[in-house]
Structures are given as C-alpha cells and as structure tokens.
C-alpha cells in the first residue's frame, strides 16, 4: 500500500474519485496534546474499487484537490460518525462536504440502536471483521506500518457495503427524509465554531447562583482563548475542577486563589494566576439580571417526574415497534418539556417525529392512550 505524498498524485486520485457517484472517507488524527486536531492520514474509497491513502504530513503536499473533492456537489461523501472528521475539514479547508451522508445516523434510523459501533455495523451489514489492533497507535509517526495502513483502508472499503445496505433500507422504509435534520446540523459551520463565550455551558450544570455563573462565564472564556492561542488542550491551562472551584468561591486575591485545593502550589503568583483574578473581577462586575440561567438549572415545575418516566416507556415501546433508535427521536430534556407543556417548542412535536411519537405522547397525557404489558413487551393501545 502506497501513501500519496505529493499534490500531483493527490490531484490525479481525486480526479478519478470525481467520476464516481459516491466516495467513502475517513481520517486519522491526534489531539491528545493539542487543542485543534492534527490531521495525520486521509482514507478514500469508491465503488469502482479505487482507493487512496493520503499523507497530509508530507512536506510536498497541498490538500487543495482533496478539499475540492469534498466540495464537489456531483459526488456524495459518505462518512461514519463524521463529526470530528468534518471538524478537521472545516478547520483546514474552510468548507464542509456537500452532499453528505453519515452511516451512524442512518444506522439509528434503521434500528441499529443509539450507539452501535462501527465494528458491529460492519459485522452485521458487510459480514466482515475489522482488525482493531492499530486503532490507538500514533498516527503522527512515520513511517506508518503496513498494519496501520491496512486497518485505515479497511475503514473506508467496508463502509461502501455499509452505505449501500443502509441506503437500500432507507429507500424501502421511506425514511430518507428523517436524516435531513441531523445531516443539516453536521454540515453547519456553527457546529464547529468553538466560541469561547459559550465555553461555560459545559460546566454549569451544578450552579444556580447568578454570581457563580457570571464568574464561570469569564473564567471559562479566558481558559478557552488561552487554549486556542497556545493550541493545547484546555485542561493543560486549567482543569475543569479548578474552573468550577474558582467560580463558586470567586477569589479576589492571590492568597485566596492559592488556598483553593485544585490550584497547584505557586500557580496563584504566576501571570496565569493574575489573568484568572482579572477574569473573576469581570464576572463579579456583571449585572446579575444579565446573567443567563443554564438550561439544566431551570427546574421543571408541576411534579412531572412520574409522567416523564411514563413518556420514556412510551418512547422505548414506539422505537422498538418502529425499529428506530430513541436518541434520534427525543432527548430527556424534550420529554421533560413535553410533560410540562403540550405546545413545547421541541423537535418531537414537529415534522416526522410528531407523527411517529409526538401525537402518541400527547394522547397519553390526555388519557386517550394506555400502556400495558403483554408477553413480556409493552403494548400501546388507544382508548375509546
């Protein structure tokens, strides 16, 4: 197996792929020591048997032909669990593949469950096995071994059969449109824009006070910008636990910062410590009425816990009958909102989701639908 290491070779391969109805694509990358992923290998395959292994670390290569292929609207680009692959393409190429298909999303629609692994999908659909021994190797080291290249190439060659089988099932069940919303999210640039001002939301679930949230917003945003500018993982700047400790205690002096158990000894007297104290002051100076409330912090009213659990059972029963993964229909937050309000603005009350589950959920709430156990299964019945 030969690695493509020059722009000329890559352009020639991409010209061949551009004649195909679809190509399967995967990437290998490293991000353990960086904020942004480091692209180490690109794998492409096509239904005519053409394949390519591209070395993006080669000194004489320009990836422009690859990005042109990703933007070619005459060729469908097929990925599995594409979010991180698409993030890399967006960051390096400034575009997102169009048209696009994610077999992980399609597998959920076709009844393979919320979290079916690629290996299991290949085994079930392509009747093949993937050697996973090279999965966690260092893809940045050169030369790459034959075992690494063989593993990497198998990901895209098996994906051809997986895509073809899932595509046929989507046509047979007339569920192709069900994927549109998920695909639109994956191909939206907003999905891959790491906005430092939104970094606080990841850590806000345990906080309720406006003062704590205000400090968290400033410290988390500072950390995110530092990680981006240095291209290191955010945890290298400051651990999550330390950010939360700072937000809840709001230290205003070097001594107070140093007393926090999550702050390393001496850290408080560094330039970074001074930056943190400045961020704390910015947070404390915010007007409390302008501080947002975290979504998970908004307590649901009305004591609807039992109803939410009943809706979960209904969701599971419907999804078992329809052979579709619950995750693609509704989240727990959706069910909580629905339990509280028949007119909640949640996806499950719009489009195909409403027809599949939303109407049944509303009928259950209104007493027009019943759940019973028969033969070890939950049965959904309409009431007269």
């Amino acid at each position: 197996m030969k690695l493509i290491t020059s722009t000329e070779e890559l352009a020639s391969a991409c010209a061949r792929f551009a004649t195909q109805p679809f190509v399967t694509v995967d990437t290998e990358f490293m991000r353990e020591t960086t904020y942004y992923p480091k692209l180490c290998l690109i794998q492409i395959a096509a239904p005519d048997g053409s394949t390519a292994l591209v070395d993006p670390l080669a000194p004489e290569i320009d990836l422009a032909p690859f990005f042109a292929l990703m933007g070619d609207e005459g060729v469908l680009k097929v990925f599995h669990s594409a979010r991180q692959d698409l993030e890399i393409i967006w960051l390096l190429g400034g575009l997102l593949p169009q048209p696009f298909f994610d077999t992980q999303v399609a597998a959920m629609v076709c009844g393979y469950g919320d979290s079916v692994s690629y290996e299991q999908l290949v085994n079930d659909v392509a009747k093949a096995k993937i050697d996973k021994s090279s999965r966690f190797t260092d893809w940045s080291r050169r030369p790459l071994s034959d075992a690494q290249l063989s593993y990497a190439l198998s990901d895209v060659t098996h994906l051809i059969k997986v895509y073809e089988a899932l595509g046929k099932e989507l046509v047979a069940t007339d569920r192709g449109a069900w994927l549109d919303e998920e695909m639109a999210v994956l191909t939206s640039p907003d999905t891959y824009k790491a906005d430092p001002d939104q970094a606080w939301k990841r850590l806000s679930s345990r906080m309720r006070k406006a003062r704590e949230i205000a400090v968290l917003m400033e410290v988390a945003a500072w950390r995110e910008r530092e990680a981006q500018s240095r291209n290191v993982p955010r945890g290298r700047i400051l651990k999550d636990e330390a950010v939360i400790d700072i937000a809840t205690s709001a230290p205003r002096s070097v001594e107070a910062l140093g007393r926090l158990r999550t702050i390393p000894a001496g850290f408080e007297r560094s330039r970074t410590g001074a930056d943190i104290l400045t961020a704390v002051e910015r947070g404390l100076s915010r007007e409390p009425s302008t501080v947002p409330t975290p979504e998970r912090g908004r307590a649901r009213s009305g004591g609807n816990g039992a109803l939410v659990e009943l809706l979960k059972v209904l969701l599971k029963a419907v999804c078992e009958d329809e052979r579709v993964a619950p995750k693609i229909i509704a989240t727990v937050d959706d069910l909580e909102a629905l339990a509280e309000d028949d007119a909640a603005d949640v996806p499950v009350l719009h489009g195909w989701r409403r027809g599949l589950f939303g109407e049944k959920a509303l009928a259950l709430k209104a007493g027009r639908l019943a759940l019973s156990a028969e033969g070890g299964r939950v049965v959904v019945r309409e009431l007269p």
Side-chain angles (χ1 to χ4, degrees):
M1 286 172 283
K2 183 179 181 297
L3 271 176
I4 291 176
T5 57
S6 73
T7 307
E8 184 179 3
E9 291 176 298
L10 178 58
S12 177
C14 289
R16 293 196 307 273
F17 289 130
T19 66
Q20 297 295 299
F22 71 89
V23 293
T24 54
V25 188
D26 190 27
T27 66
E28 306 297 341
F29 56 89
M30 306 285 288
R31 73 183 313 167
E32 287 80 3
T33 61
T34 59
Y35 181 90
Y36 298 105
K38 180 181 181 181
L39 181 59
C40 300
L41 188 68
I42 301 170
Q43 307 97 274
I44 313 172
D48 70 346
S50 301
T51 61
L53 293 167
V54 184
D55 185 359
L57 301 181
E60 302 298 325
I61 198 165
D62 181 342
L63 295 179
F66 169 71
F67 295 130
L69 176 65
M70 293 299 97
D72 186 340
E73 295 189 0
V75 182
L76 176 68
K77 273 69 67 174
V78 179
F79 294 76
H80 180 81
S81 187
R83 192 181 185 97
Q84 293 191 85
D85 301 306
L86 268 58
E87 178 189 9
I88 292 172
I89 293 170
W90 169 251
L91 290 171
L92 297 181
L95 80 163
L96 289 162
Q98 289 288 354
F100 160 78
F101 188 94
D102 189 324
T103 55
Q104 184 181 60
V105 178
M108 288 194 289
V109 169
C110 292
Y112 286 90
D114 282 339
S115 55
V116 62
S117 70
Y118 181 61
E119 291 77 20
Q120 187 61 49
L121 199 57
V122 168
N123 182 70
D124 292 349
V125 176
K127 308 303 179 185
K129 290 187 177 181
I130 294 178
D131 179 3
K132 298 186 288 184
S133 60
S134 297
R135 185 175 184 178
F136 297 111
T137 55
D138 186 347
W139 294 99
S140 67
R141 295 184 63 180
R142 296 294 184 270
L144 294 171
S145 69
D146 287 344
Q148 285 177 296
L149 296 177
S150 178
Y151 163 80
L153 193 59
S154 70
D155 270 355
V156 286
T157 53
H158 292 316
L159 191 54
I160 293 172
K161 290 184 179 180
V162 171
Y163 162 68
E164 291 174 337
L166 293 176
K168 289 179 182 177
E169 188 162 349
L170 289 170
V171 171
T173 56
D174 196 26
R175 292 182 176 180
W178 291 18
L179 276 68
D180 293 347
E181 186 176 320
E182 302 298 323
M183 300 300 180
V185 171
L186 286 169
T187 54
S188 168
D190 290 341
T191 301
Y192 307 100
K193 291 177 180 176
D195 182 358
D197 292 330
Q198 302 302 315
W200 67 278
K201 293 181 178 180
R202 269 195 334 111
L203 306 173
S204 64
S205 60
R206 287 178 280 173
M207 297 185 183
R208 299 293 180 267
K209 298 177 182 178
R211 176 175 174 272
E212 294 175 346
I213 295 295
V215 175
L216 175 67
M217 291 173 71
E218 294 295 340
V219 175
W222 165 82
R223 181 181 68 162
E224 203 74 10
R225 292 188 180 96
E226 282 290 300
Q228 290 175 351
S229 65
R230 299 188 204 177
N231 193 25
V232 297
R234 58 178 67 90
R236 293 277 186 93
I237 305 296
L238 200 63
K239 300 291 186 186
D240 285 354
E241 294 80 5
V243 175
I244 293 170
D245 271 359
I246 292 166
T248 54
S249 60
R252 306 188 74 169
S253 68
V254 170
E255 293 74 22
L257 181 61
R259 285 194 292 270
L260 296 182
R261 59 181 177 78
T262 51
I263 297 297
F267 183 88
E268 71 277 10
R269 299 190 181 278
S270 66
R271 179 188 67 82
T272 300
D275 289 344
I276 291 172
L277 290 173
T278 300
V280 170
E281 291 299 329
R282 286 198 302 269
L284 293 174
S285 67
R286 278 178 174 262
E287 174 60 40
S289 63
T290 67
V291 177
T293 302
E295 193 67 34
R296 290 185 180 275
R298 295 174 185 159
R300 298 290 183 191
S301 61
N304 290 325
L307 178 56
V308 172
E309 293 304 314
L310 198 59
L311 289 172
K312 288 179 182 179
V313 175
L314 175 64
L315 176 63
K316 191 170 181 64
V318 169
C319 289
E320 285 179 354
D321 286 344
E322 298 290 340
R323 294 189 67 248
V324 61
K327 182 178 178 180
I328 205 168
I329 303 297
T331 66
V332 173
D333 284 347
D334 292 340
L335 297 182
E336 289 177 348
L338 182 56
E340 186 175 294
D341 182 4
D342 285 3
D345 186 16
V346 288
V348 76
L349 290 182
H350 298 284
W352 63 268
R353 289 180 176 86
R354 183 177 183 117
L356 187 74
F357 174 74
E359 291 292 350
K360 293 182 178 66
L362 294 174
L364 181 68
K365 285 186 64 180
R368 301 193 307 273
L369 205 68
L371 302 176
S372 62
E374 295 182 15
R377 297 180 70 251
V378 172
V379 177
V380 181
R381 295 187 183 282
E382 292 186 8
L383 296 176

